[in-house]
Amino acid sequence: MNDRRESWFDEEAGPLVRLYAVTNGRSGGGRAELNMLTLVVRAGSRTLRRNEPEYAEIMRLAREPQSVAELAAQLNLPLTSTKILIGDLIDDGLLDFRDPEPTPEAGPRDMDVLRAVLKGIQAL
């Protein structure tokens, strides 16, 4: 295997793409108003003018409201990268976003549930 292929390929993980390649060099947290629970959905019928496949996939997935975390998981991208890409689409007027509305039956947060969720995330 040549040196160039070795730097972009891992036998167990497959092809490796660095964060800055997906986000065009941006590595910040994206839009401050977006968090992992923020819901995004397609806005209107404007045409996507970006060529990167991640943008098209976000637009396909966002036909129905999706949280930023759900999109990140489905895209298999880090949350920070996903926030940057979603922010671009919001700036282009292609996505709307809003914070999730609390449900009436939501009571005080149970620490055991939160610990179980954290443990599950850490296991990933």
PDB file of all heavy atoms in Angstrom, residues 1 4-17:
ATOM      1  N   MET A   1       0.854  -1.172   0.000  1.00  0.00           N
ATOM      2  CA  MET A   1       0.000   0.000   0.000  1.00  0.00           C
ATOM      3  C   MET A   1       0.903   1.239   0.000  1.00  0.00           C
ATOM      4  O   MET A   1       1.853   1.314   0.758  1.00  0.00           O
ATOM      5  CB  MET A   1      -0.879  -0.027   1.259  1.00  0.00           C
ATOM      6  CG  MET A   1      -2.020   0.910   1.184  1.00  0.00           C
ATOM      7  SD  MET A   1      -3.071   0.900   2.687  1.00  0.00           S
ATOM      8  CE  MET A   1      -3.808  -0.711   2.595  1.00  0.00           C
ATOM      9  N   ARG A   4       0.440   7.496   0.411  1.00  0.00           N
ATOM     10  CA  ARG A   4      -0.722   8.376   0.284  1.00  0.00           C
ATOM     11  C   ARG A   4      -1.999   7.645   0.688  1.00  0.00           C
ATOM     12  O   ARG A   4      -2.823   8.170   1.400  1.00  0.00           O
ATOM     13  CB  ARG A   4      -0.825   8.882  -1.150  1.00  0.00           C
ATOM     14  CG  ARG A   4      -1.911   9.879  -1.315  1.00  0.00           C
ATOM     15  CD  ARG A   4      -1.899  10.438  -2.691  1.00  0.00           C
ATOM     16  NE  ARG A   4      -2.848  11.532  -2.727  1.00  0.00           N
ATOM     17  CZ  ARG A   4      -3.110  12.239  -3.769  1.00  0.00           C
ATOM     18  NH1 ARG A   4      -2.489  11.991  -4.890  1.00  0.00           N
ATOM     19  NH2 ARG A   4      -3.983  13.203  -3.727  1.00  0.00           N
ATOM     20  N   ARG A   5      -2.182   6.420   0.241  1.00  0.00           N
ATOM     21  CA  ARG A   5      -3.375   5.657   0.585  1.00  0.00           C
ATOM     22  C   ARG A   5      -3.383   5.367   2.080  1.00  0.00           C
ATOM     23  O   ARG A   5      -4.431   5.417   2.703  1.00  0.00           O
ATOM     24  CB  ARG A   5      -3.433   4.352  -0.215  1.00  0.00           C
ATOM     25  CG  ARG A   5      -4.618   3.487   0.162  1.00  0.00           C
ATOM     26  CD  ARG A   5      -4.912   2.464  -0.908  1.00  0.00           C
ATOM     27  NE  ARG A   5      -5.694   1.348  -0.450  1.00  0.00           N
ATOM     28  CZ  ARG A   5      -6.969   1.357  -0.124  1.00  0.00           C
ATOM     29  NH1 ARG A   5      -7.639   2.470  -0.158  1.00  0.00           N
ATOM     30  NH2 ARG A   5      -7.605   0.265   0.257  1.00  0.00           N
ATOM     31  N   GLU A   6      -2.235   5.076   2.663  1.00  0.00           N
ATOM     32  CA  GLU A   6      -2.173   4.766   4.086  1.00  0.00           C
ATOM     33  C   GLU A   6      -2.626   5.937   4.946  1.00  0.00           C
ATOM     34  O   GLU A   6      -3.230   5.733   5.988  1.00  0.00           O
ATOM     35  CB  GLU A   6      -0.760   4.337   4.474  1.00  0.00           C
ATOM     36  CG  GLU A   6      -0.412   2.944   3.977  1.00  0.00           C
ATOM     37  CD  GLU A   6       0.987   2.543   4.346  1.00  0.00           C
ATOM     38  OE1 GLU A   6       1.601   3.204   5.209  1.00  0.00           O
ATOM     39  OE2 GLU A   6       1.478   1.576   3.762  1.00  0.00           O
ATOM     40  N   SER A   7      -2.361   7.164   4.529  1.00  0.00           N
ATOM     41  CA  SER A   7      -2.740   8.309   5.349  1.00  0.00           C
ATOM     42  C   SER A   7      -4.242   8.586   5.305  1.00  0.00           C
ATOM     43  O   SER A   7      -4.756   9.262   6.177  1.00  0.00           O
ATOM     44  CB  SER A   7      -1.969   9.556   4.918  1.00  0.00           C
ATOM     45  OG  SER A   7      -2.356   9.941   3.619  1.00  0.00           O
ATOM     46  N   TRP A   8      -4.949   8.061   4.293  1.00  0.00           N
ATOM     47  CA  TRP A   8      -6.381   8.310   4.162  1.00  0.00           C
ATOM     48  C   TRP A   8      -7.227   7.060   4.329  1.00  0.00           C
ATOM     49  O   TRP A   8      -8.423   7.082   4.098  1.00  0.00           O
ATOM     50  CB  TRP A   8      -6.700   8.935   2.802  1.00  0.00           C
ATOM     51  CG  TRP A   8      -6.229  10.343   2.729  1.00  0.00           C
ATOM     52  CD1 TRP A   8      -5.092  10.794   2.156  1.00  0.00           C
ATOM     53  CD2 TRP A   8      -6.874  11.486   3.277  1.00  0.00           C
ATOM     54  NE1 TRP A   8      -4.985  12.135   2.308  1.00  0.00           N
ATOM     55  CE2 TRP A   8      -6.071  12.597   2.993  1.00  0.00           C
ATOM     56  CE3 TRP A   8      -8.051  11.677   3.983  1.00  0.00           C
ATOM     57  CZ2 TRP A   8      -6.411  13.877   3.388  1.00  0.00           C
ATOM     58  CZ3 TRP A   8      -8.393  12.961   4.364  1.00  0.00           C
ATOM     59  CH2 TRP A   8      -7.569  14.039   4.067  1.00  0.00           C
ATOM     60  N   PHE A   9      -6.601   5.956   4.736  1.00  0.00           N
ATOM     61  CA  PHE A   9      -7.338   4.708   4.841  1.00  0.00           C
ATOM     62  C   PHE A   9      -6.917   3.977   6.105  1.00  0.00           C
ATOM     63  O   PHE A   9      -5.742   3.903   6.430  1.00  0.00           O
ATOM     64  CB  PHE A   9      -7.064   3.831   3.610  1.00  0.00           C
ATOM     65  CG  PHE A   9      -7.977   2.647   3.518  1.00  0.00           C
ATOM     66  CD1 PHE A   9      -9.223   2.761   2.942  1.00  0.00           C
ATOM     67  CD2 PHE A   9      -7.591   1.422   4.029  1.00  0.00           C
ATOM     68  CE1 PHE A   9     -10.076   1.674   2.865  1.00  0.00           C
ATOM     69  CE2 PHE A   9      -8.436   0.329   3.949  1.00  0.00           C
ATOM     70  CZ  PHE A   9      -9.676   0.456   3.366  1.00  0.00           C
ATOM     71  N   ASP A  10      -7.889   3.465   6.815  1.00  0.00           N
ATOM     72  CA  ASP A  10      -7.637   2.670   8.007  1.00  0.00           C
ATOM     73  C   ASP A  10      -8.303   1.321   7.773  1.00  0.00           C
ATOM     74  O   ASP A  10      -9.469   1.268   7.395  1.00  0.00           O
ATOM     75  CB  ASP A  10      -8.219   3.364   9.234  1.00  0.00           C
ATOM     76  CG  ASP A  10      -7.984   2.582  10.499  1.00  0.00           C
ATOM     77  OD1 ASP A  10      -8.761   1.643  10.747  1.00  0.00           O
ATOM     78  OD2 ASP A  10      -7.033   2.908  11.230  1.00  0.00           O
ATOM     79  N   GLU A  11      -7.577   0.232   7.975  1.00  0.00           N
ATOM     80  CA  GLU A  11      -8.106  -1.096   7.687  1.00  0.00           C
ATOM     81  C   GLU A  11      -9.423  -1.372   8.415  1.00  0.00           C
ATOM     82  O   GLU A  11     -10.322  -1.983   7.865  1.00  0.00           O
ATOM     83  CB  GLU A  11      -7.076  -2.175   8.045  1.00  0.00           C
ATOM     84  CG  GLU A  11      -5.870  -2.188   7.140  1.00  0.00           C
ATOM     85  CD  GLU A  11      -6.202  -2.474   5.681  1.00  0.00           C
ATOM     86  OE1 GLU A  11      -7.152  -3.228   5.382  1.00  0.00           O
ATOM     87  OE2 GLU A  11      -5.518  -1.900   4.814  1.00  0.00           O
ATOM     88  N   GLU A  12      -9.566  -0.927   9.657  1.00  0.00           N
ATOM     89  CA  GLU A  12     -10.784  -1.186  10.416  1.00  0.00           C
ATOM     90  C   GLU A  12     -11.873  -0.154  10.156  1.00  0.00           C
ATOM     91  O   GLU A  12     -13.047  -0.483  10.088  1.00  0.00           O
ATOM     92  CB  GLU A  12     -10.470  -1.239  11.912  1.00  0.00           C
ATOM     93  CG  GLU A  12      -9.618  -2.432  12.291  1.00  0.00           C
ATOM     94  CD  GLU A  12      -9.290  -2.466  13.771  1.00  0.00           C
ATOM     95  OE1 GLU A  12     -10.009  -1.840  14.550  1.00  0.00           O
ATOM     96  OE2 GLU A  12      -8.304  -3.123  14.122  1.00  0.00           O
ATOM     97  N   ALA A  13     -11.481   1.116  10.010  1.00  0.00           N
ATOM     98  CA  ALA A  13     -12.466   2.187   9.887  1.00  0.00           C
ATOM     99  C   ALA A  13     -12.836   2.487   8.441  1.00  0.00           C
ATOM    100  O   ALA A  13     -13.881   3.058   8.173  1.00  0.00           O
ATOM    101  CB  ALA A  13     -11.957   3.463  10.553  1.00  0.00           C
ATOM    102  N   GLY A  14     -11.964   2.131   7.493  1.00  0.00           N
ATOM    103  CA  GLY A  14     -12.219   2.455   6.093  1.00  0.00           C
ATOM    104  C   GLY A  14     -11.622   3.806   5.747  1.00  0.00           C
ATOM    105  O   GLY A  14     -10.690   4.278   6.399  1.00  0.00           O
ATOM    106  N   PRO A  15     -12.153   4.461   4.716  1.00  0.00           N
ATOM    107  CA  PRO A  15     -11.598   5.752   4.314  1.00  0.00           C
ATOM    108  C   PRO A  15     -11.799   6.806   5.407  1.00  0.00           C
ATOM    109  O   PRO A  15     -12.842   6.853   6.043  1.00  0.00           O
ATOM    110  CB  PRO A  15     -12.384   6.134   3.067  1.00  0.00           C
ATOM    111  CG  PRO A  15     -13.341   5.034   2.816  1.00  0.00           C
ATOM    112  CD  PRO A  15     -13.237   4.020   3.897  1.00  0.00           C
ATOM    113  N   LEU A  16     -10.793   7.621   5.614  1.00  0.00           N
ATOM    114  CA  LEU A  16     -10.855   8.667   6.629  1.00  0.00           C
ATOM    115  C   LEU A  16     -10.947  10.026   5.952  1.00  0.00           C
ATOM    116  O   LEU A  16     -10.187  10.326   5.049  1.00  0.00           O
ATOM    117  CB  LEU A  16      -9.599   8.642   7.512  1.00  0.00           C
ATOM    118  CG  LEU A  16      -9.314   7.318   8.222  1.00  0.00           C
ATOM    119  CD1 LEU A  16      -7.990   7.402   8.953  1.00  0.00           C
ATOM    120  CD2 LEU A  16     -10.426   6.985   9.180  1.00  0.00           C
ATOM    121  N   VAL A  17     -11.881  10.838   6.397  1.00  0.00           N
ATOM    122  CA  VAL A  17     -12.013  12.204   5.888  1.00  0.00           C
ATOM    123  C   VAL A  17     -11.916  13.128   7.087  1.00  0.00           C
ATOM    124  O   VAL A  17     -12.658  13.004   8.045  1.00  0.00           O
ATOM    125  CB  VAL A  17     -13.368  12.422   5.171  1.00  0.00           C
ATOM    126  CG1 VAL A  17     -13.501  13.868   4.717  1.00  0.00           C
ATOM    127  CG2 VAL A  17     -13.505  11.468   4.008  1.00  0.00           C
TER     128      VAL A  17
END
